Amino acid sequence: MRYADDAVILCRTETDAKEALRRLHIIMERLGVKLHPTKTRLVNLKEGNDGFDFLGFHHRKLESWRYGRWYLQRWPGRKAMKAVREKIRAITATPQGLQRSLKEVIAVVNPVLRGWGNYFRVGNSSRHFQLIDMYVLERLCLFLSKKHGKSGRGWGQRWRHIKFRTEGLHRLVGTIRRHN
């Protein structure tokens, strides 16, 4: 048996959307499945609301400053951003991790960045990728500060661009793929 627990139905008008939701309720009722009342909602993307989250992405319709047309854009949602930050923090903040070298820590961080980046690289994620790159650099600076018995974020700053790149740190910026 297969399960689908997430779905998005796109309609041109509000009337069509209400009819689709009504039919969906009927179909699900016949199958003995109930729709989650707080997760099931109608969203009008034309009225410039906050959009919706689906499969880790936040979807929102925005007007192009260049062409004046509206486009549906997507980028990593809040939960996805929080989850990757927590993974990076868990890798760089463990007390036993201070016995590792910088190269070893980067070797553990890189697969996390690559996997997360490969999933979210399709869309409009460049700003969010830049935020995660900056967060990783900050966490590595804190790691170096603690490892060498120094205090604060500033001590590791001198290593930021030289050491991290030579040690093979994967950067998310520049890995975005535009979809057609």
Side-chain angles (χ1 to χ4, degrees):
M1 181 179 257
R2 294 183 183 195
Y3 294 91
D5 63 351
D6 291 331
V8 173
I9 300 173
L10 302 173
C11 301
R12 293 191 184 276
T13 66
E14 184 178 358
T15 306
D16 291 346
K18 288 180 180 178
E19 178 62 19
L21 184 58
R22 185 185 72 77
R23 289 181 183 196
L24 182 64
H25 276 289
I26 292 168
I27 292 168
M28 292 295 146
E29 192 174 290
R30 287 181 187 163
L31 295 172
V33 178
K34 290 186 179 182
L35 298 175
H36 197 286
T38 60
K39 293 183 177 182
T40 304
R41 62 191 176 111
L42 296 177
V43 177
N44 185 347
L45 293 175
K46 286 188 176 180
E47 293 183 3
N49 66 16
D50 292 334
F52 62 94
D53 289 339
F54 184 67
L55 299 178
F57 283 93
H58 181 74
H59 296 77
R60 187 170 178 190
K61 201 165 187 181
L62 296 173
E63 187 176 13
S64 168
W65 58 269
R66 178 180 265 172
Y67 304 112
R69 293 176 52 191
W70 288 83
Y71 295 94
L72 185 64
Q73 296 190 349
R74 65 181 177 198
W75 53 80
R78 285 188 184 124
K79 286 183 184 177
M81 293 289 287
K82 183 178 180 183
V84 75
R85 280 193 209 107
E86 287 174 357
K87 285 181 184 177
I88 300 300
R89 184 180 179 116
I91 293 167
T92 59
T94 58
Q96 63 271 24
L98 293 177
Q99 284 83 33
R100 295 187 207 164
S101 69
L102 178 62
K103 194 169 198 155
E104 291 170 331
V105 171
I106 288 174
V108 176
V109 166
N110 278 346
V112 172
L113 292 175
R114 279 193 186 96
W116 190 85
N118 284 340
Y119 183 75
F120 289 106
R121 72 180 178 181
V122 178
N124 312 90
S125 304
S126 57
R127 286 187 193 144
H128 293 78
F129 277 21
Q130 187 176 21
L131 290 172
I132 296 301
D133 278 347
M134 290 187 312
Y135 182 77
V136 170
L137 292 176
E138 179 183 9
R139 293 302 312 167
L140 290 174
C141 288
L142 284 169
F143 167 78
L144 285 175
S145 296
K146 288 178 187 175
K147 184 171 180 66
H148 295 286
K150 306 295 180 183
S151 63
R153 289 167 167 76
W155 185 84
Q157 294 292 330
R158 64 187 175 130
W159 297 98
R160 184 170 248 179
H161 298 292
I162 302 164
K163 189 79 169 164
F164 299 149
R165 287 187 185 189
T166 60
E167 295 293 336
L169 178 63
H170 178 72
R171 302 292 301 268
L172 294 173
V173 170
T175 62
I176 303 292
R177 299 265 170 105
R178 300 285 176 221
H179 60 284
N180 296 333

